[in-house]
């Protein structure tokens, strides 16, 4: 069945495209992209999707999500996570290995891929563990997982603390040349902490997590990498110091990339006043100067990509005292409107925003997605950058509802998400 | 006279007028405790639950006596005896207690913000009797009452708060209240015990005790928690005591009419020497007496608004 998306503003950074175009999809692939009206010969028998006044882009790619299956299906399953992704315009997501059992071997990697194949509405990529059990003491069978399909490795949530271990992991990773993703946090400096250390933590009497905990580990990894080779991808960068360090490493030509999460460029630690446990995540919401540094990093491309760190938790994990609450928030369904705020305040252009959500992650992780190239899988999203609405519980497709953005007035709405030409999400209008 | 809010969660929420109203009421309630029959019927038929999930003698007893002297029915629940010990969440415990229709829930908890979460959930009034290192409003109020009884005016007074500021809810509540009332606060302690950016709360920082107390009207000594030594905050009790222990020798540097207060319990001979503790500047036992009056005032004022509308 043929499908034509007509009259939309097509933004496809991988092909340097930004303008009014029609897109022809046939047999699940992009068959042609042409000036408006240029596909009129194909219209008979084709389904038409009118996108006048809307943006048509490659489906978004999120390199950092937690889908909790196997092990914590009460928070999220691969199926519910994929529905949430589709609703947020994401057609490809990469799941972190901190499941139960932990994804530190081929059998778990394969299990996740099999469940995703059977039940997932979007493409699910698998990130394997760097060390067995995320314990930081023994290398996991990374080559085996790589062969089974893993696209990167990370001990996410638990940084690789031992410097010798990290050095060897970088060296070992040269066997399969994919990035190691680090959650950069020196744990000795953050023990017992539950928010950013600063004026707000001082006033609230909550134990702080200083930015230096992040800066020091980012520097350590860059220093190791310079010796060992391999590739480093810094997860959810949140401090001004870490952004500077990545900028410096890039200037030196080192293979270092990084991502920022929408909450880190939208909120500051002021959001913790009132003790909303949905303002608790790791790394924590930082000070205004850090938010400015992240925006600057997004602007000058020090920060390569936007990734949500979608971290579903149920009420048992969140409806408790702040210091006892789980870290993390859901993010897939608010990523677009929060990113578009950066376009509105002129931090980045709409094209840059799309690039950081599509072609750039595909490039870094060497993925076969993130473009509307002819012959590519027809993974695409149609969104209205101007549509306004209030984000509330009823929107949320994720199994968990832990978002600090409930009740926020949002601008920018996903209308239609396609995976291999098939509709996986359509907004109710 | 009544309070604007449903709850007493912290000094941050109270205006200058409200603080003065509470202190004035406490002054008048103080007399009840001096009577032979120490009871008035003001809160007869009211129910107050003291939910104390951290060890406390002074504060719990003080709230209990305050409620009883106003004729309220007072129930005490402690952590080990509650269903929290069986794994129930704080929110569920609070919902269950609320189902028995108390008028006030007094909560002591180790987690900053715990009473704030409960207050949002419940229709009953919540009084924060100490939430971790965050706030302890009734303590700040009884400190202010004690100071006011000994100085003509609070406005303009200079106060040194000495000790582990990082972990002290007493320090935070006093800083906020004293700022509201136009008092001038200096925090004193080793840099390991002074939290980052504390200046933004409107205080100055001093590391030397003798220099800090030279021209103050009040010295508020904080209890040093002995277990903090393991968390690298100080080297030894001996060294801490040498630097920050208030002795009669160091006290010579302070003005002769300086007042000394301490929230208790005191480590005698560590943060304060026995002769200073029992000496003429010390108001430590007055604070305890005033605590009952302040808590009577809080309970009365919280429920007072309802009393007036109901009658």
């Amino acid at each position: 069945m043929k499908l034509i998306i007509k009259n939309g503003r097509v933004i496809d950074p991988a092909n340097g495209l930004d303008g009014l175009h029609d897109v022809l999809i046939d047999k699940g692939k992009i068959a042609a992209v042409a000036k408006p009206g240029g596909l009129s010969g194909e219209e008979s028998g084709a389904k038409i999707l009118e996108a006048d006044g809307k943006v048509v882009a490659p489906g978004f790619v999120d390199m950092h999500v937690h889908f909790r299956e196997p092990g914590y299906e009460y928070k999220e399953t691969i199926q519910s996570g994929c529905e949430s992704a589709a609703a947020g315009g994401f057609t490809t997501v990469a799941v972190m290995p901190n499941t139960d059992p932990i994804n530190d071997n081929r059998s778990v990697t394969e299990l996740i891929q099999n469940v995703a194949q059977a039940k997932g509405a979007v493409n699910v990529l698998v990130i394997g563990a760097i060390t067995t059990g995320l314990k930081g003491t023994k290398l996991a069978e990374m080559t085996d997982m790589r062969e089974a399909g893993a696209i990167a490795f990370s001990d996410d949530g638990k940084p690789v603390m031992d410097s010798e271990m990290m050095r060897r992991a970088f060296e070992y990773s040269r066997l399969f040349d994919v990035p190691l993703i680090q959650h950069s946090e020196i744990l000795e400096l953050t023990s017992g902490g539950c928010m950013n250390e600063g004026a707000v933590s001082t006033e609230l009497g909550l134990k702080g997590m200083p930015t230096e905990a992040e800066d020091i580990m980012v520097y350590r990894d860059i220093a190791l990498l310079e010796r060992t080779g391999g590739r480093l991808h810094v997860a959810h960068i949140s401090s001004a110091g870490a952004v500077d360090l990545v900028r410096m490493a890039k200037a030196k030509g080192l293979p270092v990339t990084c991502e920022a999460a929408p909450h880190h460029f939208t909120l500051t630690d002021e959001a913790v006043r009132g003790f909303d446990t949905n303002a608790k995540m790791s790394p924590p919401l930082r000070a205004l100067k850090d938010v400015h540094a992240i925006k600057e990093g997004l602007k000058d491309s020090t920060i390569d990509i936007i990734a949500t760190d979608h971290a579903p938790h149920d009420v048992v994990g969140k409806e408790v005292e702040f210091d006892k609450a789980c870290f993390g928030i859901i993010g897939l369904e608010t990523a677009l409107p929060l990113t578009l705020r950066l376009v509105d305040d002129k931090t980045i252009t709409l094209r840059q925003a799309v690039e950081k959500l599509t072609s750039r992650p595909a490039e870094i992780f060497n993925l076969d997605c993130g473009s509307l190239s002819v012959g590519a899988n027809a993974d695409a999203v149609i969104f209205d950058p101007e549509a306004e609405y209030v984000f509330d519980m009823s929107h949320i497709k994720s199994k968990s509802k832990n978002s600090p953005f409930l009740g926020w007035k949002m601008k920018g709405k996903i209308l239609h998400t396609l995976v291999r030409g098939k509709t996986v999400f359509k907004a109710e209008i | 006279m009544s309070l604007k809010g449903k709850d007493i969660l912290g000094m941050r929420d109270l205006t200058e007028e409200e603080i003065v109203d509470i202190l004035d009421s406490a002054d008048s309630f103080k007399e009840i405790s001096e009577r032979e029959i120490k009871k008035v019927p003001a809160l007869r038929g009211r129910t107050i639950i003291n939910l104390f999930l951290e060890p406390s003698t002074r504060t719990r007893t003080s709230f209990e006596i305050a409620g009883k002297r106003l004729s309220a029915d007072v129930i005490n629940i402690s952590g080990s005896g509650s269903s929290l010990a069986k794994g129930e969440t704080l929110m569920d415990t609070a919902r269950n207690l609320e189902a028995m229709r108390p008028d006030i829930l007094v909560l002591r908890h180790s987690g900053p913000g715990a009473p704030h979460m409960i207050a949002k959930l419940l229709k009953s009034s919540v009084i924060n009797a100490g939430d971790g290192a965050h706030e302890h409003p009734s303590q700040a109020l009884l400190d202010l009452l004690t100071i006011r009884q000994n100085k003509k005016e609070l406005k303009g007074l200079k106060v040194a708060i000495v000790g582990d500021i990082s972990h002290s809810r007493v320090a935070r509540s006093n800083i906020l209240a004293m700022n509201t009332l136009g008092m001038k606060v200096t925090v004193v302690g080793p840099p390991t015990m002074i939290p980052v950016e504390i200046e933004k709360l409107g205080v100055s920082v001093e590391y030397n005790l003798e220099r800090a107390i030279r021209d103050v009207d009040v010295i508020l000594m904080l209890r040093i928690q002995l277990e903090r030594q393991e968390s690298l905050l100080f080297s030894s009790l001996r060294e801490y005591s040498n630097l920050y222990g208030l002795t009669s020798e160091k006290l010579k540097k302070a003005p002769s009419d300086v007042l000394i207060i301490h929230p208790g319990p005191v480590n005698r001979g560590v943060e304060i020497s026995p002769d200073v503790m029992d000496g003429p500047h010390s108001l430590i036992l007055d604070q305890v007496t005033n605590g009952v009056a302040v808590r009577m005032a809080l309970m009365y004022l919280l429920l007072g608004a309802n009393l007036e509308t109901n009658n």
Side-chain angles (χ1 to χ4, degrees), chain A residues 395-415:
Chain A
H395 289 100
I396 299 179
K397 303 278 185 203
S398 169
K399 216 165 177 175
S400 293
K401 317 293 173 197
N402 52 315
S403 170
F405 301 111
L406 285 165
W408 275 44
K409 202 174 153 195
M410 296 291 192
K411 193 173 148 196
K413 190 174 184 183
I414 302 293
L415 300 175

Side-chain angles (χ1 to χ4, degrees), chain A residues 197 202-203 319-321, chain B residues 12 95 109 117 134 172 196:
Chain A
E197 180 171 321
T202 287
E203 184 174 339
E319 234 187 57
V320 294
E321 299 87 317
Chain B
R12 169 169 265 283
R95 286 186 185 106
H109 193 284
M117 296 180 79
H134 182 218
R172 281 176 181 76
V196 300

Side-chain angles (χ1 to χ4, degrees), chain A residues 197-199 201-207 273-277 318-324, chain B residues 12 90-91 95 109 111-114 116-117 120 133-134 172 176 195-198 200-201:
Chain A
E197 180 171 321
S201 69
T202 287
E203 184 174 339
L204 298 183
L206 288 166
K207 181 118 198 303
R273 289 187 194 279
F275 300 96
D276 178 5
T277 56
K318 283 293 194 182
E319 234 187 57
V320 294
E321 299 87 317
F322 193 91
D323 54 324
K324 292 191 183 135
Chain B
R12 169 169 265 283
L90 177 64
M91 306 298 241
R95 286 186 185 106
H109 193 284
H116 303 66
M117 296 180 79
K120 260 184 242 164
H134 182 218
R172 281 176 181 76
L176 293 167
V196 300
E197 301 185 46
I198 184 89
K200 287 195 180 156
L201 284 184

